[in-house]
Amino acid sequence: MLEGKVAIVTGASRGIGAAIAKKLGKLNATVIVNYQGSVDKANQVCEEIKANGGVAEAIQCDVSNFDACQEFMKDIQKKYGRIDILVNNAGITRDGLLMAMSEEDFDKVIDTNLKGCFNCIRFASRFMLKQKYGKIVNIASISGVLGNAGQANYSASKAGVIGLTKSAAREFAAKNIYVNAVAPGFIATEMTDVLPDNVKEAAVSSIPMKRFGEASEVAELVGFLASPASDYITGQVICIDGGM
Ligand code: NAP
């Protein structure tokens, strides 16, 4: 379905990003598996994609670094000749109550989750505009829609991603570049694995489906938004949260 397309998935060394990279690989896109520090895990994701007959390469880039993102996109364009799909998935949490939150924890989360998303769109869209085609999928969060106590920094960053998605969609709509956001609820990954048991139990009881989602379930939705099957959809935020 995605033959001849070049896809970048940021933060794809594990969790949701790794599942998305594998899904896009199965759909026959050439996949750039981005990571910040986990080189072995990123290479492992590439090996799995290749074992299934796909094409993949792991490339390091800290998405919060404006200049590094410019080089990252330039290098991919130079090597592969195009950038068709950009999935902005890289994200972190630094949870804590607002009154006690350090400036560093606020800035770090905004820089990675929101500015990282801006940086990648900023430099990938240049090439998408030239080729008159692009699919951008930003991974937001239900926290950015509903808010969440203890996550002022994170929910602000994800609400920002939603605003960025809607503005970029309007800016690029006439250029055949689609921009949508996916807002997952609780998904079983390393990010949620570290939550204390009582928090996990409270989370499960707040989910109408009474279970955490799987990274592969998010990847199915991203696969749809990255493919021509979604060609009349842009500027949307699609929640994938078990009914929350
Ligand atoms: P995860 O398991 O903690 O993985 C995070 C990924 O982001 C890793 O591959 C990590 O790479 C990468 N990353 C972190 N900082 C980066 C940076 N500055 N530059 C490049 N890559 C960076 O997280 P996850 O649970 O899969 O979450 C993925 C996305 O979904 C995030 O945006 C998260 O906010 C969102 N989300 C998750 C949930 C959930 O319940 N899990 C719910 C809603 C939304 P390294 O390993 O190399 O550091």
Side-chain angles (χ1 to χ4, degrees), residues 57-167:
E57 181 182 353
I59 303 183
Q60 196 281 339
C61 176
D62 173 356
V63 298
S64 68
N65 183 321
F66 188 76
D67 294 337
C69 286
Q70 181 168 27
E71 288 310 305
F72 176 57
M73 295 300 169
K74 262 207 232 161
D75 290 349
I76 294 165
Q77 170 72 19
K78 202 168 163 194
K79 180 161 183 189
Y80 292 95
R82 51 192 302 117
I83 297 172
D84 301 285
I85 296 162
L86 168 65
V87 182
N88 285 306
N89 166 82
I92 58 166
T93 50
R94 292 282 186 279
D95 295 353
L97 293 177
L98 198 151
M99 273 186 62
M101 189 173 284
S102 69
E103 184 181 12
E104 192 196 344
D105 281 351
F106 188 82
D107 288 349
K108 182 87 185 148
V109 169
I110 298 290
D111 283 355
T112 304
N113 300 5
L114 176 56
K115 193 179 157 208
C117 191
F118 161 74
N119 288 344
C120 291
I121 296 175
R122 166 75 174 75
F123 294 112
S125 61
R126 222 181 114 212
F127 303 115
M128 289 176 170
L129 281 167
K130 275 191 191 149
Q131 72 200 17
K132 298 188 175 64
Y133 182 82
K135 290 266 186 184
I136 299 172
V137 184
N138 299 322
I139 308 301
S141 166
I142 196 73
S143 290
V145 180
L146 302 176
N148 193 19
Q151 285 198 313
N153 50 358
Y154 182 78
S155 55
S157 75
K158 295 299 189 177
V161 167
I162 289 171
L164 178 62
T165 300
K166 292 180 179 179
S167 295

Side-chain angles (χ1 to χ4, degrees), residues 11-17 34-38 61-64 89-92 112 139-141 154 158 184-187 189-192:
S13 57
R14 52 196 157 91
I16 295 171
N34 161 256
Y35 64 97
Q36 180 181 223
S38 309
C61 176
D62 173 356
V63 298
S64 68
N89 166 82
I92 58 166
T112 304
I139 308 301
S141 166
Y154 182 78
K158 295 299 189 177
F186 289 93
I187 309 298
T189 68
E190 284 178 34
M191 188 179 270
T192 47

Side-chain angles (χ1 to χ4, degrees), residues 35 152 163 217 222 231 244:
Y35 64 97
E217 293 175 308
V222 175
D231 271 0
M244 283 175 79

